[in-house]
């Protein structure tokens, strides 16, 4: 059994164009930051960036090739197909595990991702996540884990456009078809923090956190992040009015 992390990424963002190649700190892009943190996950064997055939993503492809990062180019709107084709292209097969992450979560804690992946592997699940409602983790710690077989079944069976665009909708919206697991954060009080990137205000928060914590500890934890924000409520307040998952709700 092999575990593949597939990180979907594209440059077309109406709210903050080209956000993943913006600097989170001088000389470090949002995407580089995330990939360095995912690389610290012990439960992941291979990490792939799944981008699109859009002309807007040519600059992203150039970036990935320059940095010698594994990537796959697939359909811009049918993200479910992009995931399936990415998995196939890198050798995934029945029995393997797929981890879905999005490139707008640059401060994801490797230990949080590893814990969710182990929860999936230790349980009798076809899909497991730490970001199903009711939410218990900060927005930006999202990790979804599913079997290659579940991915293939969703790819074959789902027809609704929203299910093709959002990859895992068909799985967790059909619990009668898939064995679903939800990993609940054992620590309370962490859900009110926003650590994902959609708006300039989000980038302001993420950059402030990163530039203050990284010099002391490149792999700072979620607890470190929340501790910093609690000590600097004026930073936390910059993006607290943004609704979670508003784009697909």
């Amino acid at each position: 059994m092999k575990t593949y992390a597939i990180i979907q990424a594209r440059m077309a963002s109406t709210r903050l164009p080209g956000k993943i190649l913006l600097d989170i700190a001088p000389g470090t892009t949002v995407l580089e930051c995330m990939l360095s943190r995912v690389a610290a996950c012990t439960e992941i064997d291979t990490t792939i960036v799944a981008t699109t055939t859009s002309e807007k993503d040519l600059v992203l492809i150039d970036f990935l090739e320059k940095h010698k990062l594994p990537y796959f180019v697939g359909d811009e709107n049918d993200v479910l197909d992009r995931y399936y084709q990415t998995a196939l292209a890198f050798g995934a097969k029945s029995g393997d595990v797929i981890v879905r992450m999005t490139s707008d979560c640059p401060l994801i804690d490797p230990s949080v991702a590893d814990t969710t992946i182990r929860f999936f592997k230790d349980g009798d699940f076809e899909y497991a996540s730490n970001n199903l409602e009711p939410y218990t983790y900060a927005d930006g710690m999202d990790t979804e884990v599913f079997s290659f077989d579940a991915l293939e079944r969703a790819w074959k069976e789902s027809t609704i456009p929203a299910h093709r665009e959002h990859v895992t909708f068909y799985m967790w919206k059909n619990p009668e078809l898939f064995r679903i697991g939800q990993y609940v954060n054992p620590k309370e009080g962490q859900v009110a923090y926003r650590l994902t990137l959609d708006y300039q205000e989000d980038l302001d928060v993420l950059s402030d956190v990163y530039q203050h914590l990284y010099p002391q500890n490149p792999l700072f934890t979620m607890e470190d992040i929340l501790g910093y924000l609690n000590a600097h409520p004026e930073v936390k307040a910059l993006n607290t009015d943004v609704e979670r998952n508003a784009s697909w709700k």
Side-chain angles (χ1 to χ4, degrees):
M1 179 179 69
K2 192 171 182 179
T3 301
Y4 298 82
I6 300 177
I7 302 175
Q8 63 191 71
R10 62 176 187 157
M11 295 296 287
S13 172
T14 56
R15 290 166 291 188
L16 188 61
K19 61 184 180 181
I20 61 173
L21 290 187
L22 296 177
D23 279 356
I24 195 170
T28 302
T29 65
V30 167
L31 183 59
E32 286 176 294
C33 174
M34 181 173 186
L35 290 173
S36 69
R37 294 176 69 80
V38 173
C41 292
T42 60
E43 294 291 331
I44 293 172
D45 299 307
T46 299
T47 300
I48 310 134
V49 177
T51 189
T52 87
T53 56
S54 168
E55 288 188 4
K56 294 179 180 179
D57 288 322
L58 291 176
V59 64
L60 175 56
I61 293 171
D62 287 342
F63 176 88
L64 295 168
E65 290 185 344
K66 177 182 177 181
H67 290 81
K68 296 180 171 56
L69 298 169
Y71 73 93
F72 182 84
V73 178
D75 193 281
E76 182 176 15
N77 298 310
D78 189 345
V79 192
L80 176 56
D81 181 70
R82 197 194 318 166
Y83 261 73
Y84 181 64
Q85 300 302 337
T86 299
L88 285 179
F90 280 81
K93 59 186 183 302
S94 179
D96 287 336
V97 175
I98 310 296
V99 180
R100 176 180 179 247
M101 299 175 176
T102 57
S103 55
D104 52 9
C105 298
L107 300 189
I108 191 165
D109 186 337
S111 66
V112 171
D114 277 337
T115 298
T116 308
I117 298 168
R118 284 193 294 270
F119 172 75
F120 172 87
K121 291 178 178 178
D122 293 342
D124 184 26
F125 303 122
E126 293 169 291
Y127 168 94
S129 172
N130 66 358
N131 68 326
L132 293 175
E133 294 187 77
Y135 303 124
T136 61
Y137 274 98
D139 194 359
M141 294 293 154
D142 307 356
T143 305
E144 294 181 284
V145 193
F146 41 93
S147 66
F148 173 82
D149 302 88
L151 174 62
E152 186 169 60
R153 180 174 182 179
W155 178 77
K156 289 178 177 178
E157 297 180 0
S158 63
T159 56
I160 298 173
H163 291 173
R164 307 299 301 189
E165 180 183 356
H166 294 288
V167 185
T168 60
F169 271 26
Y170 186 76
M171 299 178 204
W172 58 263
K173 283 182 174 290
N174 289 289
E176 74 281 2
L177 300 179
F178 299 91
R179 298 186 300 278
I180 307 297
Q182 179 175 3
Y183 184 76
V184 177
N185 190 347
K187 298 180 181 179
E188 296 182 355
Q190 297 186 352
V191 70
Y193 299 80
R194 179 175 170 82
L195 301 171
T196 192
L197 179 59
D198 284 312
Y199 301 96
Q200 181 60 48
E201 294 85 349
D202 295 328
L203 184 59
D204 293 340
V205 172
L206 296 170
S207 295
D208 190 280
V209 170
Y210 182 82
Q211 292 184 53
H212 278 87
L213 295 182
Y214 181 86
Q216 287 75 37
N217 178 14
L219 288 178
F220 54 86
T221 67
M222 181 177 60
E223 284 71 20
D224 295 329
I225 298 170
L226 303 190
Y228 176 78
L229 291 176
N230 287 338
H232 298 84
E234 74 283 0
V235 178
K236 179 187 175 185
L238 292 175
N239 66 352
T240 52
D241 292 335
V242 181
E243 181 184 1
R244 185 166 185 162
N245 290 329
S247 62
W248 56 258
K249 284 182 179 179

